[in-house]
Amino acid sequence: VDGQRADFVEFAAARGGPLFRSAWLLTGDWHLSQDLVQETLGRMYRSWRGTSRIDDPAAYAHTVLVRTYLSHRRRRSNQERPSSDALPDVPGPPTDDDTTNLRLTLLDGLAHLDRVDRAVLVLRYWEDHDVQTTAELLRITPGAVRARSFRALRRLRLILGEDLLTPPAPDPHLTPPGIGGQR
Amino acid sequence: MNFEDQLTVAMRSTAETVTPPVADLVAGGMQRGRDMRRRQMVRRRAMAGAGLLTAGAVSAAVLVAAGGRGAPVITPGVTAPATSARPAITFDPRAVVRPDQTVALAIDHMIVVGGALDRHDPAAAAGPWTVVVRSDNGSIGHHGAVVTFPVSAPTTGQPTPVGGVSGAASTGVVIWPIAGQYARIRGDLTAPELVAIAADTSVVSGRPTVHPPRGYAVVSSGTYQSPDIRESRYGSTGLGVAAALGDGLTYTGVTTGGGFEDQLYNTGVLTQTTVNGKPAVVSSVLGGNATLAWEPAPGIIAYVGYSGALPDDKAITALRALAARTQPLSLAQWQTANPQSNDQPNIFG
């Protein structure tokens, strides 16, 4: 029993970080991410008999995470709150030295998607799964993955703009004094 | 690079900036796993008993199971990292902590072992910087505004004159050039009020300074992000509030930084209420399903929140009752709870 426990601790310590990062992209919320990963690890621990009984425990844990996310207390769907229509200072592309803006912009955009669409993008573009694997993980058809992916990307483009990584050219009328613009 | 490739890069950048609380995840995951095993065992025993007993005896079996219900470790739905079944650090209820020296809160004069989290943001001290301004009849998140400097260049907004330069105004927000960069004011005041305060803003040694017009006052100034958020976490079931808040996590803590109020104006508050006679707001700014926040002293935000049930009237009433059960803690008291320290960006919203 002690050996199994140590085995699990080693596994959880190794996989906790990647699971949390996936949860962070799925929820955009520190508490919910923590809650989701602990729930996932708890389910793994409940039936833990060592890694030998599961072909790929890391992949299995990610499957548990995603399915827990999709079924995780539907009551929490209110976390996916829409941003205001005006999005007054959603910075769009970030400045070179501002990773905080990048995070807020991306998470803000992802927050506009429904849970399954968001999961599709995270599985496809963060976890690098192909359409077939994504479909199996989400228990939907490959066609549904393609359709949801297309729809979600289109919506993200509308929210974030076509260029996610390059800073926007400032409005010349708004260029601050002292850096080459008008006063 | 096409949009999909950019999305991959952006997701990596976003995911890699967080520091996962691995130790807490492992401990919490194992605790939940143990709870799940116990519940599973109880269910199996109950089912086995039911199979052997007569219809009359089945009722007795239910009573046996009900007896187990009193033990928190097998209460269905205990999912938070802390429950009342776990050992706790207790605090002297007679201890007095000045409001402006409050760094954390405890519910019912105790913090469960492993339930104290110090969310430390090493980058907070690098800015941006904020000034919180309120009208004479303002309160937290109400009749006020937050000036933040520096911010990114505006990408939207109507050109608007601000003290001799051209700014960009959107609903509740004005961004304008100042000191070679940009500043932003965001609040629930009218556009002319926001512009007037913006025009009275200067930047001294890289930080914004506001001399607000008559009828307004500076409440606090400091970093946008909080250098430290000290948070105590409990299982809602263990606190006896699961009926109102669900069986998830209840947390209480103290934060600073103008970013909190800025995000109140950005996302809006669910409702306004009071805590111990002080104005308070319920919002989703601090994560979870809802968080009730109030100011023990200017610039210090105390809060109690939860993840679980929907934030309806019952939940808000429960949060107010929990707020009344909180005890302010000094730094020395907090450190006796042996908090786990995580370096992370303390970004609100």
Side-chain angles (χ1 to χ4, degrees):
Chain A
V1 173
D2 284 348
Q4 284 181 4
R5 184 180 176 282
D7 197 22
F8 180 82
V9 169
E10 187 181 348
F11 167 79
R15 300 309 308 168
L19 287 169
F20 186 86
R21 290 194 166 96
S22 291
W24 176 247
L25 290 171
L26 287 169
T27 67
D29 181 288
W30 186 270
H31 290 297
L32 292 181
S33 299
Q34 200 167 3
D35 202 24
L36 189 54
V37 175
Q38 288 184 349
E39 186 72 16
T40 299
L41 291 176
R43 291 181 185 193
M44 295 288 290
Y45 186 75
R46 177 177 56 184
S47 52
W48 187 261
R49 297 290 184 273
T51 55
S52 59
R53 295 199 177 190
I54 306 172
D55 287 341
D56 185 347
Y60 182 69
H62 277 263
T63 303
V64 173
L65 179 90
V66 171
R67 291 184 181 167
T68 304
Y69 162 71
L70 291 176
S71 63
H72 196 218
R73 322 267 186 223
R74 291 186 186 278
R75 64 198 180 194
R76 293 181 186 170
S77 61
N78 71 317
Q79 280 306 298
E80 295 166 5
R81 58 183 183 275
S83 299
S84 66
D85 291 335
L87 292 176
D89 65 337
V90 167
T95 56
D96 288 340
D97 58 351
D98 197 344
T99 54
T100 296
N101 274 350
L102 177 61
R103 175 181 30 250
L104 289 175
T105 301
L106 178 64
L107 293 178
D108 212 7
L110 291 173
H112 284 71
L113 307 179
D114 78 25
R115 294 167 82 82
V116 180
D117 286 2
R118 187 169 182 162
V120 165
L121 293 190
V122 170
L123 289 171
R124 296 278 286 117
Y125 298 104
W126 160 246
E127 299 197 3
D128 202 25
H129 290 303
D130 58 24
V131 169
Q132 184 64 38
T133 307
T134 302
E136 288 166 6
L137 282 167
L138 298 176
R139 292 172 168 151
I140 58 179
T141 65
V145 169
R146 289 190 193 92
R148 283 181 174 275
S149 184
F150 177 78
R151 183 176 68 185
L153 288 171
R154 187 178 56 187
R155 184 144 173 75
L156 268 190
R157 279 194 186 95
L158 284 173
I159 297 164
L160 304 178
E162 285 289 339
D163 198 350
L164 273 177
L165 304 175
T166 307
D171 185 329
H173 298 292
L174 300 171
T175 302
I179 55 174
Q182 64 183 32
R183 187 172 276 275
Chain B
M1 191 184 287
N2 63 27
F3 187 81
E4 288 87 338
D5 291 339
Q6 290 186 56
L7 182 58
T8 298
V9 172
M11 282 189 170
R12 283 182 187 152
S13 300
T14 300
E16 286 166 6
T17 51
V18 294
T19 305
V22 174
D24 196 48
L25 297 172
V26 175
M30 289 184 68
Q31 177 65 40
R32 290 189 197 201
R34 280 193 288 267
D35 291 343
M36 289 174 191
R37 282 181 178 179
R38 290 191 187 100
R39 289 200 297 273
Q40 200 171 30
M41 202 176 298
V42 168
R43 277 196 298 270
R44 283 178 183 163
R45 283 177 184 163
M47 286 174 68
L52 294 172
L53 296 172
T54 62
V58 168
S59 301
V62 171
L63 288 176
V64 170
R69 206 176 299 147
V73 289
I74 60 169
T75 301
V78 173
T79 57
T83 78
S84 60
R86 294 170 65 181
I89 292 99
T90 57
F91 301 97
D92 184 351
R94 297 165 300 180
V96 176
V97 177
R98 278 176 33 190
D100 61 350
Q101 293 181 348
T102 300
V103 302
L105 300 174
I107 294 176
D108 296 342
H109 313 293
M110 64 94 180
I111 295 177
V112 186
V113 171
L117 175 65
D118 196 335
R119 299 160 64 182
H120 178 62
D121 187 345
W129 302 90
T130 56
V131 179
V132 177
V133 179
R134 293 193 197 131
S135 68
D136 291 344
N137 63 345
S139 58
I140 180 172
H142 187 54
H143 285 172
V146 179
V147 174
T148 304
F149 174 88
V151 298
S152 301
T155 56
T156 60
Q158 293 294 318
T160 302
V162 178
V165 299
S166 178
S170 305
T171 307
V173 181
V174 178
I175 298 175
W176 76 101
I178 186 171
Q181 298 184 75
Y182 291 91
R184 177 184 67 215
I185 182 167
R186 175 152 50 201
D188 64 350
L189 304 174
T190 64
E193 289 173 309
L194 293 176
V195 167
I197 296 171
D200 286 339
T201 298
S202 57
V203 173
V204 179
S205 301
R207 302 189 186 187
T209 302
V210 179
H211 296 287
R214 190 180 181 87
Y216 303 87
V218 171
V219 175
S220 62
S221 57
T223 59
Y224 187 87
Q225 295 164 216
S226 180
D228 285 282
I229 300 177
R230 297 186 177 92
E231 192 167 278
S232 313
R233 292 170 302 157
Y234 310 80
S236 299
T237 302
L239 291 174
V241 291
L245 302 184
D247 57 9
L249 180 73
T250 291
Y251 50 87
T252 186
V254 170
T255 184
T256 57
F260 175 77
E261 190 146 340
D262 182 60
Q263 286 302 312
L264 284 180
Y265 293 123
N266 188 29
T267 63
V269 302
L270 296 175
T271 188
Q272 293 181 330
T273 180
T274 58
V275 169
N276 299 328
K278 286 178 174 290
V281 291
V282 179
S283 74
S284 58
V285 168
L286 281 163
N289 281 62
T291 302
L292 171 65
W294 68 100
E295 275 182 314
I300 295 178
I301 310 295
Y303 63 88
V304 57
Y306 75 102
S307 60
L310 292 169
D312 55 13
D313 289 346
K314 191 169 63 172
I316 292 167
T317 301
L319 286 178
R320 292 184 68 203
L322 280 170
R325 289 161 61 182
T326 59
Q327 174 186 5
L329 300 180
S330 65
L331 186 58
Q333 285 175 305
W334 170 252
Q335 285 167 344
T336 65
N338 192 24
Q340 176 191 331
S341 182
N342 287 334
D343 284 357
Q344 63 175 85
N346 286 334
I347 295 170
F348 305 105

